[in-house]
Amino acid sequence: MRRRLGSMDDGTAARAMLAVAMEEARAGLAEGGIPIGAALFGPDGELLGRGRNRRVQDGDPSMHAETAAFRAAGRLRGYGRTTMVTTLSPCWYCSGLVRQFGIGRVVVGEAVTFSGGHGRLAEHGVSVTVLDDPECVALMRDFIAARPDLWAEDIGE
Amino acid sequence: MRRRLGSMDDGTAARAMLAVAMEEARAGLAEGGIPIGAALFGPDGELLGRGRNRRVQDGDPSMHAETAAFRAAGRLRGYGRTTMVTTLSPCWYCSGLVRQFGIGRVVVGEAVTFSGGHGRLAEHGVSVTVLDDPECVALMRDFIAARPDLWAEDIGE
């Protein structure tokens, strides 16, 4: 992943990173979970951690996709040159994670079905790219239609 | 705890809740961890979950005290009548948790050694009580003096 991402232009690299998050989201769906995935990449495009929402799988409401990816990356110092890619606009919880740890860049698969704190992060100097990816939109739209109860639970509504 | 808290005035109940968070913080210190504790209480003062920062113990940077207490409470619907008590002002990550899940009240042991997002939460309608507890202050002040590296790591500095 490192070499491949390094040789790509920015938009192509963003989509390559999103593909990893989408793999996580689809794996979550296959497990009966909430289909949101994320991954944390280092400055040279190296994958530091990847994860998916684990509310259903682990009965753990604290594991959103972004927090799962952050956890998987382990203990690190200095997130300024890292990129968090997520299939869905980060909620306030996950936006708070980005802000507190100074993650420098966020790539968002889509912000159509849910719009969290990515706009606010941009105001705080985070580089934010929203891809409006139709596959991401379809995945969440279908899920929300099928399991509105689970979706409401996951965003505290 | 439920019966005891129910019979107390508000300030006394806040201090009784803080005592649980302090037990967690001290247990964390004894384990060589970052001494921050938290607990989530229900509407009638029942303990829903308690936890402590687990960065050192589990190598898990996603487990701040508040997220650990939230996780320990398991899957719930409706946090509006719950109270999160924490020994230290919640960072942006943990403030985001409170905001996203609509936790109705936050009791903060102290905001002297670190001031996170509790003021912002109050602006968003969360009931915030800051106790300025000298034991909480001493615990963090001693820890920060002893392990500035670990403290900086935990707040992403």
Side-chain angles (χ1 to χ4, degrees):
Chain A
M1 177 65 77
R2 180 194 297 239
R3 212 169 30 195
R4 279 193 303 153
L5 283 176
S7 64
M8 291 174 184
D9 69 75
D10 201 55
T12 309
R15 293 205 166 266
M17 290 190 283
L18 181 62
V20 175
M22 270 300 271
E23 282 179 11
E24 290 289 331
R26 290 203 182 95
L29 187 69
E31 291 165 346
I34 297 167
I36 307 174
L40 188 70
F41 288 90
D44 299 315
E46 68 274 30
L47 179 63
L48 301 175
R50 56 191 287 171
R52 52 188 179 263
N53 188 298
R54 306 203 66 85
R55 174 176 294 269
V56 173
Q57 295 92 321
D58 298 346
D60 183 352
S62 76
M63 281 297 120
H64 275 193
E66 297 90 330
T67 54
F70 180 79
R71 177 175 67 174
R75 289 173 59 179
L76 298 172
R77 286 303 294 266
Y79 291 86
R81 297 183 65 216
T82 67
T83 297
M84 178 70 81
V85 56
T86 173
T87 56
L88 183 66
S89 173
C91 77
W92 290 111
Y93 172 42
C94 297
S95 297
L97 177 82
V98 170
R99 179 174 176 184
Q100 184 64 46
F101 290 96
I103 292 170
R105 185 180 183 205
V106 174
V107 173
V108 176
E110 63 107 348
V112 175
T113 64
F114 174 81
S115 185
H118 69 272
R120 194 56 182 272
L121 288 174
E123 289 171 21
H124 283 290
V126 178
S127 167
V128 176
T129 305
V130 180
L131 292 173
D132 279 327
D133 181 86
E135 283 184 61
C136 288
V137 175
L139 188 66
M140 276 311 287
R141 190 164 276 162
D142 292 350
F143 170 72
I144 293 170
R147 292 301 309 273
D149 55 322
L150 195 49
W151 175 232
E153 181 189 322
D154 199 55
I155 53 172
E157 286 182 355
Chain B
M1 177 64 78
R2 182 194 296 238
R3 216 167 28 193
R4 277 193 305 153
L5 283 176
S7 65
M8 291 175 184
D9 69 76
D10 201 56
T12 310
R15 293 205 167 266
M17 290 190 284
L18 181 62
V20 175
M22 271 299 270
E23 282 179 13
E24 290 289 331
R26 289 203 182 96
L29 187 69
E31 292 165 346
I34 297 167
I36 307 173
L40 188 70
F41 289 90
D44 299 315
E46 67 274 29
L47 179 63
L48 301 175
R50 55 191 288 171
R52 51 189 180 263
N53 188 297
R54 305 203 65 85
R55 175 176 294 269
V56 173
Q57 295 93 321
D58 299 346
D60 184 352
S62 76
M63 280 298 120
H64 275 194
E66 297 91 330
T67 54
F70 180 80
R71 177 175 67 173
R75 289 173 58 179
L76 299 172
R77 286 301 294 265
Y79 291 85
R81 297 183 66 215
T82 67
T83 297
M84 178 70 80
V85 55
T86 174
T87 56
L88 183 67
S89 173
C91 77
W92 290 112
Y93 173 42
C94 297
S95 297
L97 177 83
V98 170
R99 179 173 176 184
Q100 185 63 46
F101 289 96
I103 292 170
R105 186 181 182 204
V106 175
V107 173
V108 175
E110 63 106 348
V112 175
T113 64
F114 174 80
S115 185
H118 69 272
R120 194 57 182 272
L121 288 174
E123 289 172 20
H124 282 290
V126 178
S127 166
V128 176
T129 304
V130 180
L131 293 173
D132 278 328
D133 181 86
E135 282 184 61
C136 288
V137 174
L139 188 66
M140 276 311 288
R141 190 164 277 162
D142 292 351
F143 170 72
I144 293 169
R147 292 301 308 274
D149 55 323
L150 195 49
W151 174 234
E153 180 189 322
D154 198 55
I155 53 173
E157 287 181 353

